[in-house]
Amino acid sequence: MSIKNTSLCYLERDHSYLMMHRIKKEQDVNAGKWIGVGGKFEDKESPEDCVLREVLEETGFVIQPTSLRYRGIITFITDHYDTELMHLFTCTEFSPSRPDAPECPDCSEGVLQWVPKSQISSLKLWEGDRIFLSLLEKEQPFFSLKLVYSGKGDEEKLVQAILNGWQNLL
């Protein structure tokens, strides 16, 4: 068994997050869900390297590195996939990589859309995402969140959520 490292970033503008509706890939663990932008580490990448590259690849936006906030580490454990360490970021300053770039560019991973934060809870999200999005909104200092899922597909359920190694959130 191995541990997969990933990054996830919530770009923020006008009280909205740029969200990706994962409806384009055939074999997608996130199929049908709404998530931030990010992806798997490449060889020799730091969390920051990964998130800067992934945001550019998926959105066409160049992050202003001084506005990138490293918010936490999420450990995902499931019955059917390798353990994943997701490095969670937010960012408020970014710009298109080219002057004619669309506001929500086409992405092979899913459909990008600016969603007001007040409407995100109505979207189809992972149960654990609701927890860390809430921590982001509460301006929780850097945190570690362990999310344990059981089952697969529509039967997948969050069975444990532990904040900072001791606080059970379920």
Side-chain angles (χ1 to χ4, degrees), residues 4-166:
K4 175 173 65 172
N5 275 284
T6 62
S7 67
L8 187 72
C9 187
Y10 288 95
L11 299 178
E12 183 177 354
R13 179 179 79 190
D14 300 325
H15 305 292
S16 297
Y17 282 139
L18 184 60
M19 301 290 290
M20 182 184 299
H21 193 195
R22 298 292 294 242
I23 56 173
K24 290 191 175 182
K25 290 172 69 176
E26 296 254 341
Q27 298 295 321
D28 187 351
V29 67
N30 295 303
K33 303 262 193 322
W34 290 82
I35 63 171
V37 294
K40 297 179 194 110
F41 280 37
E42 291 184 355
D43 188 38
K44 298 179 178 58
E45 280 188 325
S46 70
E48 295 81 4
D49 294 336
C50 180
V51 76
L52 292 171
R53 178 185 52 76
E54 285 285 348
V55 168
L56 178 60
E57 288 176 2
E58 292 182 356
T59 69
F61 290 127
V62 176
I63 288 177
Q64 177 65 29
T66 56
S67 79
L68 188 63
R69 290 182 61 199
Y70 196 173
R71 305 293 299 273
I73 296 177
I74 318 301
T75 304
F76 290 100
I77 299 173
T78 72
D79 296 340
H80 302 282
Y81 302 103
D82 287 341
T83 298
E84 177 181 344
L85 290 180
M86 184 183 75
H87 303 262
L88 182 63
F89 294 87
T90 56
C91 181
T92 56
E93 295 179 34
F94 45 89
S95 58
S97 58
R98 56 181 216 275
D100 62 337
E103 184 170 304
C104 286
D106 190 39
C107 176
S108 64
E109 304 282 328
V111 176
L112 294 167
Q113 182 177 332
W114 289 100
V115 179
K117 290 183 191 180
S118 62
Q119 295 176 15
I120 288 178
S121 64
S122 68
L123 300 175
K124 185 176 180 183
L125 304 170
W126 289 102
E127 291 177 73
D129 290 18
R130 294 181 190 285
I131 294 171
F132 64 72
L133 283 164
S134 172
L135 294 171
L136 294 178
E137 283 307 299
K138 293 175 185 171
E139 288 294 326
Q140 174 81 24
F142 190 89
F143 59 89
S144 172
L145 180 63
K146 179 180 178 182
L147 300 172
V148 180
Y149 287 88
S150 182
K152 190 171 183 181
D154 292 337
E155 303 296 318
E156 197 159 35
K157 179 158 180 57
L158 183 65
V159 295
Q160 188 177 49
I162 305 293
L163 179 63
N164 295 328
W166 64 273

